[in-house]
Amino acid sequence: MESTVTVDPSDGRPTKRPGYGQLLRTPRAWTFLLPGFAARLPFAMLTISLVLLVQHTTGSYGVAGAVAAVAGVSMALLAPQAGKLADRFGQRAVLVPGVLLHSAAVALLTVLALTGAPLWTLFAAAVPTGASVPQIGPMVRSRWAARLGDTPLAGTAAAFESVTDELTFVLGPVIATALCTGVHPAAGLAAEGALSLLGGLLFAAQRSTQPEVTSRPAAGRASGTSGSALSITGVRVLAVAFLGIGTVFGGLQVSLTAFAEEAGHPGMNGLLYGIFAAGNTLAGIVYGVVAWSAPPQRRLLVGYAALAVTASTLWAMPSLAPLAVAGLLTGLCVAPALITGYTLIDSLVPPGARTESFTWLTGAVALGQAGAVTASGALADAFGARAGFAVPLGGTVLALVVLVALRSRLVPKSGGAGRGPVASGGTGRGIGHRTPAAVD
């Protein structure tokens, strides 16, 4: 670790290290953080709510996982286009019609499931449901990037956002499971639609913190790229890594549910997943306040290797207690990979493509989650709950192989497209320049 000197944005006084308290004193930060949290919570409720509702109406985890997978694939493929439009026309212009469409699609899917409509109609309704999921997380990250610019606090913000994401993954599945099992099988999905609508509209109303609209053609020429942010090789490599992380989320959501049911304690699935997500949150909190000296690419490889190892132990757990411990260890390894991946984006892409780039990573998680939900559901139906844990094992190992093989693509050229710090944890180092606020 190394010593850093930063400037508090609220009063200009120097501090030894950027911290969460200092970050949260950024002017007007709370105006988008609070509605942003309310609007992003439904993202963590959607998959498990779909699985529980469709499994209740069809009796099959495989079918339930397939419907949820269609929604996840739809989001992964189409949501980045919403991110690109938000970069070009502004977040509000994209978010308002998006949340209206999403709430309507969720309501339609709920009615179809409860009325016993043909299965093909559930799959059809899942497409707009997933495609219209509000991309609040990437939009919040873009607002932080716009406000903090090239300062060490940008790395702290990336860690804070990952912690916030994991907090939603702690609360979201637990809330959805409680509503579906304690109130009505459709209550989780109904709450997801209502929160998306209300939270999304409140977030969209915060226009003063919205990033400035940037001309995409000009941004593309400045970075040597054109069209989609996915044309940047480093973004594609990170997307593969996040795809593997998605298999952990999706595989655990289904497999923990099936495992708890097999063990005769179906109500424990929310607690088990909460323990996993709590480990993720704890790791994110600690990771974000450490000033790292190791390059972010190396930290990503080490963290991802640890994730692959811990995810590979889940299938061997004989009962709920050791499975909870293995889930906790797996969760502790997720946050470092997520945080480092998100902060690397700042050095790989131009400012005018940030929302789209963040959305590609979020979409990759959703795509991995969707595939894992389908595969784990089918394996659980055919071979038992333990077989479903093979999905996060395979997903993380394959992604690690890609990361190792293409690790050089995560190192931007000197004076690269991004203008923020590469490393999380507040080292304040950019690529090809020195940040005056940092002292090694």
Side-chain angles (χ1 to χ4, degrees):
M1 291 186 290
E2 59 191 10
S3 176
T4 63
V5 177
T6 64
V7 175
D8 191 323
S10 63
D11 57 19
R13 292 179 300 176
T15 62
K16 291 185 177 180
R17 178 182 300 173
Y20 294 116
Q22 180 180 340
L23 176 72
L24 295 177
R25 290 194 295 273
T26 301
R28 297 200 302 275
W30 286 102
T31 63
F32 63 85
L33 286 180
L34 290 179
F37 181 80
R40 73 206 297 179
L41 183 62
F43 180 84
M45 299 172 62
L46 180 60
T47 298
I48 191 65
S49 296
L50 275 174
V51 168
L52 293 176
L53 173 60
V54 178
Q55 194 277 334
H56 171 78
T57 57
T58 65
S60 170
Y61 279 110
V63 172
V67 173
V70 169
V73 171
S74 179
M75 192 203 84
L77 295 179
L78 297 180
Q81 306 311 312
K84 182 185 294 187
L85 293 173
D87 283 327
R88 185 171 183 180
F89 299 107
Q91 295 181 359
R92 177 184 172 86
V94 174
L95 190 55
V96 172
V99 295
L100 293 174
L101 174 60
H102 182 70
S103 60
V106 166
L108 175 62
L109 181 54
T110 303
V111 171
L112 291 173
L114 292 177
T115 56
L119 287 179
W120 70 265
T121 63
L122 299 183
F123 288 107
V127 173
T129 297
S132 59
V133 170
Q135 297 302 306
I136 303 298
M139 291 183 179
V140 172
R141 285 182 166 89
S142 292
R143 294 190 183 213
W144 276 126
R147 296 195 65 75
L148 299 175
D150 189 7
T151 68
L153 273 177
T156 306
F160 179 82
E161 285 307 305
S162 291
V163 170
T164 303
D165 281 340
E166 295 320 311
L167 182 58
T168 64
F169 275 104
V170 172
L171 297 176
V174 173
I175 293 173
T177 300
L179 290 172
C180 291
T181 58
V183 179
H184 189 276
L189 204 55
E192 190 277 341
L195 275 176
S196 293
L197 179 62
L198 295 176
L201 292 178
L202 285 173
F203 182 81
Q206 311 307 313
R207 304 180 69 173
S208 64
T209 56
Q210 180 176 268
E212 294 183 3
V213 175
T214 304
S215 171
R216 288 304 302 278
R221 287 192 298 269
S223 63
T225 64
S226 60
S228 172
L230 205 60
S231 63
I232 301 172
T233 305
V235 176
R236 296 199 297 271
V237 174
L238 289 174
V240 172
F242 278 53
L243 191 71
I245 293 174
T247 66
V248 176
F249 288 130
L252 263 63
Q253 282 186 350
V254 172
S255 299
L256 290 177
T257 300
F259 195 97
E261 187 172 300
E262 280 188 3
H265 301 282
M268 291 290 291
N269 65 312
L271 176 61
L272 289 172
Y273 194 84
I275 291 173
F276 157 74
N280 201 344
T281 303
L282 177 62
I285 292 172
V286 174
Y287 193 86
V289 297
V290 174
W292 299 95
S293 59
Q297 297 82 7
R298 184 186 303 168
R299 298 203 308 272
L300 180 60
L301 288 174
V302 172
Y304 214 96
L307 174 61
V309 169
T310 54
S312 299
T313 67
L314 294 168
W315 68 273
M317 297 300 106
S319 61
L320 292 177
L323 180 59
V325 174
L328 176 65
L329 294 176
T330 302
L332 288 171
C333 296
V334 170
L338 280 174
I339 294 170
T340 308
Y342 276 123
T343 52
L344 276 168
I345 283 293
D346 215 22
S347 66
L348 294 172
V349 302
R354 282 194 181 119
T355 304
E356 182 196 351
S357 300
F358 289 139
T359 306
W360 275 117
L361 298 191
T362 303
V365 173
L367 183 60
Q369 181 174 324
V373 164
T374 303
S376 294
L379 289 171
D381 282 343
F383 305 106
R386 189 173 282 107
F389 292 117
V391 176
L393 185 162
T396 53
V397 169
L398 290 175
L400 178 62
V401 171
V402 173
L403 272 178
V404 172
L406 300 177
R407 60 189 181 278
S408 63
R409 303 303 180 95
L410 298 176
V411 181
K413 297 178 181 179
S414 181
R419 61 183 178 85
V422 176
S424 64
T427 61
R429 288 186 172 184
I431 293 296
H433 68 278
R434 292 275 298 179
T435 302
V439 177
D440 293 342

